Amino acid sequence: MINILPDPYVHRGRSGIDANTVLASTFQPCSDIALSNLKVYADSFRYIYSLNAGIPANAGVATSRYPKDTYYGGNPWYLTTFAVAEQLYNALIVWNKQGYIDVTSVSLGFFQQFDTSLSLGTYSSSSSTFGALISAVKTFADGFVVIGAKYTPSGGELSEEYNRDDGTPESAIDLTWSYASALTVFTAHAGQTSASWGAAGLTVERRKLNTD
């Protein structure tokens, strides 16, 4: 599996696994690198929070900035948990629009959490495998939203974090970024994108990097 942060980030005991690779990835949400990285990122929190105890390996969990975060005790964040779901919903939008899913050697581990017998290949929308994967990824994405919703107070207030043991809101109260992340994940869940989303017809010139 791939984590996309470069080596300079892997210092002082940190793994390089970081929410920034989900929040601000330069890769398409459905690219094999982005999906592989997403699995590495989400899985890194499965066994460090009491909140995630007993949750199946192919289900959504609470996530944070990075596994060894110590800020306010290193709790999960609403915006990072929602960000995982948002990337997955955006991937679903692309797959449904293009009509196929590519499973490569890089993304195979991500997809095999839903079907261990899955093999490399391109699965068209007319195949049963395409439908099964779309359904499984949708359920997976929904799980992250459910986790965030479960630990949202009845009044709907979103703080910065929620306690890693009991889900109590922590740190900054009524954090704008938390509310914004809820709005964008709901938009993606509905299959909607902004007018500027994507780059249809764009041609990117590739140049060789001069290292001299």
Side-chain angles (χ1 to χ4, degrees):
M1 302 302 288
I2 290 178
N3 171 246
I4 60 178
L5 275 179
D7 288 343
Y9 288 86
V10 189
H11 284 164
R12 297 183 293 277
R14 285 184 54 185
S15 63
I17 299 170
D18 195 295
N20 286 323
T21 61
V22 178
L23 291 165
S25 174
T26 58
F27 295 92
Q28 275 199 336
C30 63
S31 75
D32 53 1
I33 292 176
L35 294 173
S36 179
N37 176 78
L38 189 73
K39 178 169 169 54
V40 171
Y41 168 74
D43 284 352
S44 71
F45 298 97
R46 291 191 179 278
Y47 307 107
I48 65 174
Y49 296 149
S50 299
L51 292 184
N52 293 336
I55 296 178
N58 61 349
V61 291
T63 72
S64 183
R65 298 189 301 174
Y66 47 90
K68 293 191 176 182
D69 193 2
T70 58
Y71 175 71
Y72 266 84
N75 297 302
W77 289 45
Y78 292 100
L79 65 93
T80 59
T81 305
F82 290 151
V84 177
E86 185 172 347
Q87 180 185 322
L88 293 168
Y89 291 140
N90 285 334
L92 290 166
I93 291 172
V94 176
W95 290 326
N96 282 313
K97 185 174 182 179
Q98 69 186 15
Y100 63 88
I101 295 174
D102 276 328
V103 178
T104 71
S105 58
V106 174
S107 62
L108 183 61
F110 171 83
F111 288 110
Q112 282 189 335
Q113 63 186 326
F114 312 117
D115 180 355
T116 56
S117 65
L118 194 70
S119 56
L120 304 182
T122 298
Y123 298 91
S124 72
S125 57
S126 61
S127 68
S128 59
T129 300
F130 179 92
L133 288 175
I134 289 292
S135 179
V137 173
K138 172 67 163 53
T139 299
F140 186 49
D142 289 346
F144 290 92
V145 177
V146 168
I147 288 289
K150 181 178 181 179
Y151 299 110
T152 298
S154 59
E157 303 88 357
L158 290 176
S159 63
E160 184 175 57
E161 308 175 16
Y162 48 108
N163 187 274
R164 61 192 295 155
D165 297 318
D166 61 15
T168 303
E170 299 269 0
S171 189
I173 62 172
D174 288 325
L175 186 68
T176 301
W177 199 3
S178 294
Y179 291 117
S181 69
L183 292 174
T184 55
V185 77
F186 295 156
T187 298
H189 176 270
Q192 300 174 359
T193 60
S194 67
S196 61
W197 197 77
L202 177 67
T203 300
V204 178
E205 181 182 357
R206 296 182 179 273
R207 297 181 179 181
K208 184 178 180 181
L209 180 64
N210 187 348
T211 58
D212 294 338

